[in-house]
Amino acid sequence: MNIKILSRNPNLYSTQRLVEAAKKRKHNVEVIDPLKCDIVIEKRRPNIYYKGGYIEDVDAIIPRIGASVTFYGTAVVRQFEMMGAFTTVGSEALVRSRDKLRSLQVLSRAKIGLPKTVFTNYSRDVEGVIKQVGGTPLVIKLLEGTQGLGVVLAETRNAAESVIEAFNGLQARVIVQEFIKEAKGADIRAFVVDGHVVGAIKRQGKEGEFRSNLHRGGSASVIELTDEEEVAAVRAAKAMGLGVAGVDLLQSGRGPLILEVNSSPGLEGIEKATEKDIAKSVIRYIEKNV
């Protein structure tokens, strides 16, 4: 099979592991930079021009599209779809997953557990917004933030009001969420491939830090999901239309609550913690569908 990995950096751990897994299973694999692809649109002959030639005979692609290049990256994925290539992440699902507000609405419609969330059009009734999520402490998130950036824990009403008013003044879109105390600064990342959880880790924020992102100094350990947590992760990925997804969830007194569904989840943290070959699962998913 001819497989293309859409990645801007061939040296990233996740990209290298996917290349290694594909080669082990005797596939032809190439890493291409989506930003260097020219999209050629004409009647009945969609093409992609890359480094002096047209890309042809592609069986499957693995998009590793960063948040900062979502618009053009998605256009490239869509072009490969038009050329008949199978993709581990569809263009529509990619767009949907990058819009935090839309994602939460999709998950809510699917009746999946979520932290209570409020989004307003720069409302002046900040006190009312705080009450809607059950008061403080609460979490304020920039809609465009990634890897824990643009996420603030407001522990008092005054702090919450100040932060929300400051973001409103800058016309920065934010969502306000209830703070799940019982999670104790930890969350779970479940890696879902083809409707099955193939690995799961518990991420714990460093001391004094409520964000559990590994990029921010958090630690990871293997965890065995409960049946309820596994079902929630699989349902969340399905609702978002993602064949490959990293589902982040919190353990709460009312069951698992989905925080986010990531369409380009990293492999390094979960593979090293679980010692599982997650990259192989992704390649096998392609083999099953091509």
Side-chain angles (χ1 to χ4, degrees), residues 37-57:
C37 291
D38 294 334
I39 296 170
V40 182
I41 302 170
E42 61 177 314
K43 185 179 180 181
R44 296 184 181 177
R45 286 192 63 194
N47 276 306
I48 290 176
Y49 192 76
Y50 183 74
K51 290 187 175 180
Y54 289 105
I55 295 179
E56 297 177 338
D57 301 322

Side-chain angles (χ1 to χ4, degrees), residues 191-207:
F191 206 105
V192 179
V193 178
D194 195 22
H196 301 280
V197 175
V198 295
I201 54 175
K202 187 169 187 176
R203 304 182 298 189
Q204 181 70 53
K206 63 183 180 182
E207 190 173 349

Side-chain angles (χ1 to χ4, degrees), residues 29-96:
V29 60
E30 180 187 8
V31 178
I32 64 174
D33 183 343
L35 296 195
K36 293 181 180 176
C37 291
D38 294 334
I39 296 170
V40 182
I41 302 170
E42 61 177 314
K43 185 179 180 181
R44 296 184 181 177
R45 286 192 63 194
N47 276 306
I48 290 176
Y49 192 76
Y50 183 74
K51 290 187 175 180
Y54 289 105
I55 295 179
E56 297 177 338
D57 301 322
V58 178
D59 296 302
I61 61 169
I62 304 174
R64 302 289 308 172
I65 307 297
S68 63
V69 296
T70 297
F71 176 80
Y72 197 80
T74 301
V76 173
V77 172
R78 191 181 303 117
Q79 191 77 351
F80 273 111
E81 289 173 331
M82 291 168 62
M83 291 162 62
F86 173 77
T87 175
T88 57
V89 179
S91 56
E92 287 301 312
L94 178 57
V95 171
R96 194 183 302 124

Side-chain angles (χ1 to χ4, degrees), residues 234-247:
V234 170
R235 286 184 61 215
K238 183 179 179 181
M240 296 298 293
L242 292 167
V244 175
V247 181

Side-chain angles (χ1 to χ4, degrees), residues 248-265:
D248 297 340
L249 55 92
L250 294 176
Q251 295 174 311
S252 80
R254 60 181 190 267
L257 303 177
I258 304 298
L259 279 177
E260 187 176 0
V261 184
N262 193 316
S263 55
S264 295

